[in-house]
Amino acid sequence: DTGVSQDPRHKITKRGQNVTFRCDPISEHNRLYWYRQTLGQGPEFLTYFQNEAQLEKSRLLSDRFSAERPKGSFSTLEIQRTEQGDSAMYLCASSSSLFAGATETQYFGPGTRLLVL
Amino acid sequence: DQQVKQNSPSLSVQEGRISILNCDYTNSMFDYFLWYKKYPAEGPTFLISISSIKDKNEDGRFTVFLNKSAKHLSLHIVPSQPGDSAVYFCAATALIYNQGGKLIFGQGTELSVKP
């Protein structure tokens, strides 16, 4: 299967702990996105990478959140000092942009469901 | 500020009939629109998209219509099948978003197709 994969699929943690999620995009895709989805809402944009460069971060991404994409391959999203309000589904998506300004379809992974107790 | 709105949280249709899911947007800069389908505990799956230079795009049983003057799009599923039962999200994007193409999603509509 060559789709987007995410690990872990589920994570339960206690408030104040740090958690890290991993996303492996479709291999030839140069753009990678992180979204967060809470119950009854659509996914909300968090951040995106063009190759290894993080080009945009949402206001939703507080300083407790950090994302990396070393070497433009997989990406990690870390949440430090988790809070109960961080409980959500964290979705990763990837796409292939042929040129700047191109609009292209984003393909999503299965998500990581985080529960902060 | 909800830039993309799906005002119907749920829709129930009979198998074989047409399902029509609606989506409204407020940002006139949006120029590309997508529909995703989501099953519980899975990520969204891409269904169909449409560029603002078109007013209709068709793919098999799925057709998306775009009315730019009304800032409205709709997804038609004909004929509806029980396997179509899922949550459907409308999403929009625009070149002004630093050319990164981030998606702005609606709240979703849960479609139930009854046999």
Side-chain angles (χ1 to χ4, degrees):
Chain A
D1 182 30
T2 57
V4 179
S5 61
Q6 292 186 246
D7 184 71
R9 294 290 305 275
H10 304 274
K11 179 71 177 179
I12 300 174
T13 191
K14 293 182 179 179
R15 188 178 55 184
Q17 298 294 303
N18 298 345
V19 294
T20 300
F21 308 141
R22 176 180 170 124
C23 170
D24 287 273
I26 294 171
S27 59
E28 63 270 23
H29 284 184
N30 57 348
R31 286 187 177 171
L32 187 147
Y33 302 79
W34 285 99
Y35 292 83
R36 181 173 69 186
Q37 184 181 15
T38 53
L39 198 62
Q41 300 297 317
E44 295 176 290
F45 170 79
L46 292 179
T47 188
Y48 98 94
F49 293 83
Q50 172 99 10
N51 300 311
E52 67 274 12
Q54 187 174 19
L55 296 186
E56 186 177 354
K57 294 196 291 186
S58 162
R59 292 170 300 175
L60 295 175
L61 215 63
S62 76
D63 56 6
R64 296 184 298 105
F65 289 71
S66 63
E68 294 182 344
R69 192 184 182 196
K71 302 179 182 179
S73 55
F74 70 92
S75 176
T76 58
L77 178 67
E78 181 183 17
I79 310 174
Q80 296 182 326
R81 306 181 302 281
T82 52
E83 301 173 356
Q84 289 182 325
D86 297 332
S87 296
M89 171 80 87
Y90 289 84
L91 294 162
C92 175
S94 70
S95 68
S96 177
S97 65
L98 297 177
F99 53 88
T103 50
E104 70 288 325
T105 301
Q106 295 178 26
Y107 295 90
F108 283 81
T112 295
R113 183 167 295 282
L114 172 66
L115 177 61
V116 182
L117 300 175
Chain B
D1 178 29
Q2 192 74 26
Q3 298 186 70
V4 178
K5 297 181 183 180
Q6 294 176 255
N7 292 317
S8 299
S10 62
L11 175 67
S12 182
V13 300
Q14 207 67 31
E15 181 179 7
R17 307 294 292 268
I18 185 171
S19 295
I20 300 177
L21 297 99
N22 293 303
C23 178
D24 296 293
Y25 61 96
T26 58
N27 190 336
S28 57
M29 299 302 293
F30 287 147
D31 54 17
Y32 192 64
F33 304 88
L34 308 91
W35 284 93
Y36 285 86
K37 172 182 176 180
K38 188 178 185 300
Y39 293 116
E42 294 184 11
T45 301
F46 170 71
L47 270 179
I48 191 168
S49 62
I50 188 167
S51 165
S52 60
I53 62 174
K54 294 184 175 182
D55 54 18
K56 176 183 174 181
N57 189 26
E58 191 171 354
D59 183 2
R61 297 186 297 115
F62 302 92
T63 303
V64 57
F65 295 92
L66 175 62
N67 183 335
K68 289 186 292 293
S69 60
K71 294 190 177 67
H72 177 84
L73 64 157
S74 61
L75 174 68
H76 293 210
I77 306 173
V78 182
S80 301
Q81 300 173 354
D84 296 330
S85 298
V87 178
Y88 289 77
F89 289 100
C90 167
T93 189
L95 290 179
I96 64 167
Y97 291 134
N98 297 317
Q99 303 182 333
K102 70 181 181 185
L103 298 177
I104 308 299
F105 282 85
Q107 308 95 310
T109 296
E110 183 171 11
L111 173 66
S112 176
V113 180
K114 300 189 183 304

